[in-house]
Amino acid sequence: MKPSHIEHIGIAVKDLDAAIAYYEKLLGSKCYAVEEVIDQKVKTAFFKVGQTKIELLASTDPEGPVGKFIEKKGEGIHHIAFAVEGLQDALKVLADEGIQLIDQKPRKGAEGLNIAFLHPKSTMGVLTELCEQPK
Ligand code: CMX
């Protein structure tokens, strides 16, 4: 597996509008998309920094993954996502290496990407996402 670039960095925030306003100032660019991902219980907002995106994540449910994360750890970096080709094959290679997969096969994430997460318990504490552009 050889990711081409960091696709995005996910940042958990409590107040999406306040976070958008801050990142618009910091990055000097407008948020280009806001999207709710219902099955992940989050509302997302995206910025571009070169090839990489910043994905702000606000929870829509305290029992969702971002709601639980903020409750335990507070706001901050939630995950890092790498762009790969051949996501299903990459998952098999990682599983064979003993990495714990959260998603055994790719599923649909924000922006229509095919995505899969690796468990932070087997990635030295960093929730890791792999993303592939759909063909
Ligand atoms: N980064 C690092 N560690 C994390 C974490 C994160 N983002 N989220 C949870 N953990 C840790 C917790 O701190 C906890 O550690 P301890 O056992 O040491 O306390 C452990 O993982 C278990 O956490 P939990 O709160 O009990 O939560 P669950 O086990 O129910 O779920 C996880 C954890 C990672 C499996 C779940 O959050 C998940 O499936 N995440 C992937 C999906 C996701 O995060 N979606 C939101 C983003 C969607 C998007 O980008 O569109």
Side-chain angles (χ1 to χ4, degrees):
M1 191 182 90
K2 194 156 193 270
S4 57
H5 61 284
I6 294 174
E7 211 284 332
H8 65 265
I9 297 170
I11 299 175
V13 302
K14 288 182 182 166
D15 180 336
L16 193 61
D17 291 337
I20 289 172
Y22 166 70
Y23 277 95
E24 286 188 342
K25 281 194 204 107
L26 180 76
L27 302 175
S29 65
K30 289 277 172 205
C31 164
Y32 72 87
V34 173
E35 180 183 344
E36 185 165 350
V37 185
I38 289 170
D39 70 323
Q40 292 298 302
K41 301 183 169 73
V42 289
K43 199 166 168 191
T44 62
F46 284 94
F47 291 84
K48 281 202 180 109
V49 187
Q51 235 187 327
T52 300
K53 298 164 193 160
I54 298 292
E55 179 186 34
L56 304 179
L57 295 157
S59 183
T60 56
D61 180 336
E63 290 307 311
V66 172
K68 284 167 79 175
F69 176 87
I70 288 180
E71 177 65 29
K72 272 193 177 164
K73 300 193 188 213
E75 293 178 298
I77 293 180
H78 179 263
H79 67 268
I80 184 162
F82 296 97
V84 298
E85 284 192 10
L87 177 53
Q88 183 68 75
D89 291 345
L91 291 176
K92 183 174 178 338
V93 168
L94 291 166
D96 289 348
E97 294 286 334
I99 306 287
Q100 188 185 337
L101 308 181
I102 292 173
D103 300 294
Q104 307 303 316
K105 54 184 177 51
R107 60 185 167 82
K108 282 287 168 207
E111 301 201 299
L113 295 177
N114 296 326
I115 65 161
F117 282 93
L118 313 180
H119 202 288
K121 290 287 172 206
S122 63
T123 58
M124 282 137 277
V126 177
L127 177 60
T128 303
E129 180 181 350
L130 304 178
C131 305
E132 183 177 43
Q133 286 287 348
K135 299 270 184 279

